[in-house]
Amino acid sequence: MSIETPAKGTPAEGTGTTASDEAGPPAAASAPSAWSALRPLALRIHFYAGVLVAPLLLVAAVSGLLYALSFPAEKLIYRHELTVPAGERTLPLEEQVEAARAAHPEGTVTAVWPSYEDGATTRVLMASPEVEEDRSLAVFVNPYTAEIRGELPSYGGSGALPLRAWLDELHRDLHLGEPGRLYSEMAASWLWVVALGGVLLWLGRRRANKRAALIPERGASGRRRTLSWHGSVGLWAAAGLVILSVTGLTWSTYAGENIGMLRERLGGSTPRISATLDAGADAASSHGGHGGHGSSGGSGVGGGERPPSADNADIGIDRAVAAAKAAGIDTGGQIAISLPAEGNGYVVKETDTQFPVHRDSVALDPADGAVLDQLRFADYPLLAKLTTYGIAAHMGVLFGLPNQLALAALMVALIMLTVWGYRMWWQRRPAKERTLSMGRPVPRGAWRKAPVPLLLPLAAAVALTGWFVPLLGWSLLAFLALDAALGFAARRRAPGNRNPSRS
C-alpha cells in the first residue's frame, strides 16, 4: 500500500523512480512498454487509495489483530468454564443435559456440544431470556460429575464467548450494526486492489539486485529505507492480504450478495442437510410453517425441544449419538447435536474446525434413529469446499493456533505497511516549502498517455469490477470526481490561466 509520491525538483518527478532505480543497466531504446504507460496511472490510483482508504484498513487491521489474539485469551479468561480435572468415566449426555435444565429451567435446550477431550466441559446451548435473541446461553457441565461450571452467552456456530464475540463485532461493524458494516466492506473492497497494485509497482521498479525486492535494503536511509521495508514486507504479505480481502467480501452487504448469486449460478453453493420429518412437515404447515434446526446443521441458534406427547417418541440424545456413529459420523471428535424441534429430527454434525474435511453430518428420526438425510464434506462442490476453507482461514480456525498466529502476523504487517506508506508521503514533501506540506501525487493526465487498445479493455474491466464490488466502484467514482475538482481549482489558481476549463 505504497503512498509513493514524487517530490518537486527530484530526478524522478512524474515517474516514481529514485536513484536506486537508476543504478540498474540502462534500458535499450525501444517503444514504451504497456507497463511503462500504465505505471503512472497505477501510481496515482495507489496514492489515492493509500491516502483515503488506509485509515479504514488500519482500523480493520488493529481490530483483526485483537480478534486473532482472542482465541488464546478466551481459553485463559474462561478456563474455569472450559476445563475441569479429568475423570475416569464420563456420564451419559442425557444426565448432563438434565443438570443444565435443572440449573436453568427457564431455558430451552437447542444443542449440545459434548466434551471431546480429557478435561473439557460439555457445552449445553439454550434459547433463554437471559441472553439476546441472536445468542445462546451456553451452560458448561462437568462431564464426569454433572456439576455446572458456569454459564456464558455464546454467539454463532463457532461458539464465540463474550470476549471473542465482542471483538468479532468490533472488527465486523464497529458495534454500529448494519451501517457499520460499510466500513469493513469498503476496507475489504480496496485491500486486494492496494495489495496487487503495490506488488506490480514494487516488482516493476528497475534495480540492479533482484534480491532487493524480497529483502529490505541494508544501509539505506530516509525515504529509501522506508520504501525498501514497505515494498519487501508488502510483497511477502500480499497473497495473505488478498485472501483475507476476498473471503471478507463473502460476508459483506453488497459484494457479498453478488458473490452468493455467482456461486449459486456456478453450482458452488454450500449444501445443507434436511432434518424435516414427513409427518412433522404437515404439522408445521398447519402451524404457520414453524421450522427448527433442519437447515442450520446444528448451529445451536433457534429451534427448541418438542412438546411432550404420545406421538413424538424420542430415543434420547445418547442413542442418537450412537445412531450417528453407526451412520459414519466420527463421534469421538468434536460434534454438535441439535435436538429435535417440532417437525424436525436430530442433527449430529462434526465440527472439527481445524480440519474442515471433518464436517460430515446426519439427520435422524427421533422415534427410532433412522437416517433422514446425510451430508458428506467429500460431496461438497469444489467451490463450496474452497469457500469453507477460506472462511475458516479468515476466522482463524482452519489449523488452530498456527492459523491465528498467521492472522496476527498479517495484521501487524498491514499496520506497518500503512504506517510506512504515510511516512513515505511525509518524507516526499517539498523540503523548501511549508513545513507541514505533504508529498504530491503523480501528475494528472496519466491515463491520456496510455495506448487506446490498452486503455479500453482496462476501463471495461474496471467498470465490471466496480459493478460486482459496488463500494469499490462508488468510491472510485468519488475519487475521480474529487481529483477532477481539485484539478479544476488548481487550473483556476494558475497564474496567467485565462481559460480554466481547458484541460
Side-chain angles (χ1 to χ4, degrees):
M1 189 181 50
S2 170
I3 306 174
E4 184 177 351
T5 59
K8 182 177 179 180
T10 64
E13 185 173 4
T15 65
T17 59
T18 63
S20 62
D21 295 325
E22 298 167 357
S30 61
S33 66
W35 172 241
S36 64
L38 289 178
R39 189 172 191 273
L41 180 60
L43 270 171
R44 191 164 182 82
I45 294 175
H46 199 63
F47 166 78
Y48 273 116
V51 171
L52 301 176
V53 182
L56 300 180
L57 297 178
L58 187 61
V59 172
V62 172
S63 59
L65 174 61
L66 294 175
Y67 174 78
L69 298 178
S70 70
F71 287 88
E74 189 176 68
K75 294 179 180 179
L76 179 65
I77 294 173
Y78 305 118
R79 60 184 180 277
H80 176 78
E81 289 83 3
L82 295 172
T83 59
V84 294
E88 296 183 358
R89 186 182 68 87
T90 60
L91 298 174
L93 284 175
E94 189 60 44
E95 291 187 29
Q96 300 178 49
V97 172
E98 286 302 324
R101 285 196 185 102
H104 293 274
E106 78 290 347
T108 301
V109 178
T110 58
V112 179
W113 295 8
S115 170
Y116 62 92
E117 62 182 2
D118 292 342
T121 54
T122 292
R123 194 178 304 194
V124 179
L125 300 179
M126 291 183 166
S128 171
E130 296 183 25
V131 294
E132 298 177 26
E133 186 177 354
D134 61 341
R135 284 166 167 76
S136 297
L137 180 67
V139 182
F140 299 88
V141 183
N142 186 327
Y144 309 105
T145 65
E147 170 199 4
I148 304 299
R149 299 284 291 180
E151 45 283 306
L152 293 167
S154 176
Y155 179 78
S158 65
L161 298 179
L163 173 65
R164 181 153 56 98
W166 191 90
L167 292 173
D168 175 63
E169 190 173 344
L170 176 69
H171 180 66
R172 184 174 66 251
D173 59 19
L174 300 177
H175 294 276
L176 297 176
E178 285 299 318
R181 293 183 64 184
L182 296 179
Y183 122 80
S184 58
E185 182 169 356
M186 178 74 82
S189 297
W190 275 97
L191 180 56
W192 67 274
V193 177
V194 175
L196 293 180
V199 168
L200 291 176
L201 290 170
W202 183 243
L203 294 180
R205 295 173 64 87
R206 292 176 296 172
R207 49 175 59 87
N209 183 4
K210 299 301 181 181
R211 287 188 59 194
L214 299 173
I215 303 174
E217 185 177 354
R218 293 183 179 180
S221 60
R223 180 188 174 278
R224 182 172 174 175
R225 180 176 184 271
T226 307
L227 176 61
S228 178
W229 276 96
H230 181 93
S232 300
V233 172
L235 186 63
W236 284 104
L241 295 177
V242 170
I243 292 174
L244 287 179
S245 174
V246 173
T247 54
L249 285 174
T250 61
W251 286 297
S252 63
T253 302
Y254 299 104
E257 182 178 352
N258 290 335
I259 291 173
M261 292 173 57
L262 179 62
R263 287 179 56 200
E264 185 175 354
R265 291 184 180 182
L266 295 177
S269 298
T270 302
R272 294 181 179 274
I273 194 168
S274 173
T276 302
L277 301 169
D278 292 338
D282 298 334
S285 61
S286 65
H287 287 81
H290 175 71
H293 270 64
S295 63
S296 70
S299 65
V301 179
E305 298 165 288
R306 298 179 300 160
S309 73
D311 297 330
N312 54 16
D314 194 332
I315 61 174
I317 189 171
D318 292 286
R319 290 181 61 189
V321 171
K325 182 177 181 180
I329 301 298
D330 180 13
T331 58
Q334 300 180 50
I335 61 171
I337 308 146
S338 293
L339 271 63
E342 185 176 353
N344 294 277
Y346 283 99
V347 174
V348 182
K349 179 179 181 179
E350 297 174 2
T351 59
D352 189 349
T353 53
Q354 293 192 32
F355 303 96
V357 290
H358 296 162
R359 304 283 287 186
D360 297 346
S361 56
V362 63
L364 304 167
D365 190 325
D368 55 10
V371 174
L372 300 172
D373 189 19
Q374 52 187 325
L375 180 61
R376 307 294 176 184
F377 185 77
D379 297 330
Y380 278 34
L382 177 60
L383 189 56
K385 289 181 180 178
L386 294 177
T387 301
T388 301
Y389 285 122
I391 291 177
H394 191 111
M395 294 180 64
V397 297
L398 182 58
F399 297 115
L401 183 60
N403 189 173
Q404 295 145 27
L405 294 177
L407 279 180
L410 275 176
M411 294 302 96
V412 171
L414 182 55
I415 292 170
M416 295 309 302
L417 289 171
T418 306
V419 172
W420 286 325
Y422 278 112
R423 179 170 174 77
M424 282 190 291
W425 188 27
W426 172 258
Q427 290 173 324
R428 290 301 295 264
R429 73 191 189 283
K432 295 183 180 180
E433 297 184 11
R434 298 186 304 272
T435 304
L436 296 180
S437 62
M438 296 296 182
R440 295 186 179 92
V442 175
R444 294 179 177 86
W447 64 272
R448 299 189 186 98
K449 301 177 182 178
V452 174
L454 184 64
L455 193 61
L456 290 179
L458 179 63
V462 170
L464 179 62
T465 304
W467 170 82
F468 192 78
V469 187
L471 287 193
L472 175 63
W474 298 341
S475 57
L476 181 58
L477 287 176
F479 291 170
L480 293 176
L482 174 63
D483 191 44
L486 293 176
F488 180 79
R491 288 193 297 271
R492 287 184 63 93
R493 290 195 304 267
N497 189 350
R498 298 174 180 270
N499 186 8
S501 62
R502 185 179 178 183
S503 57

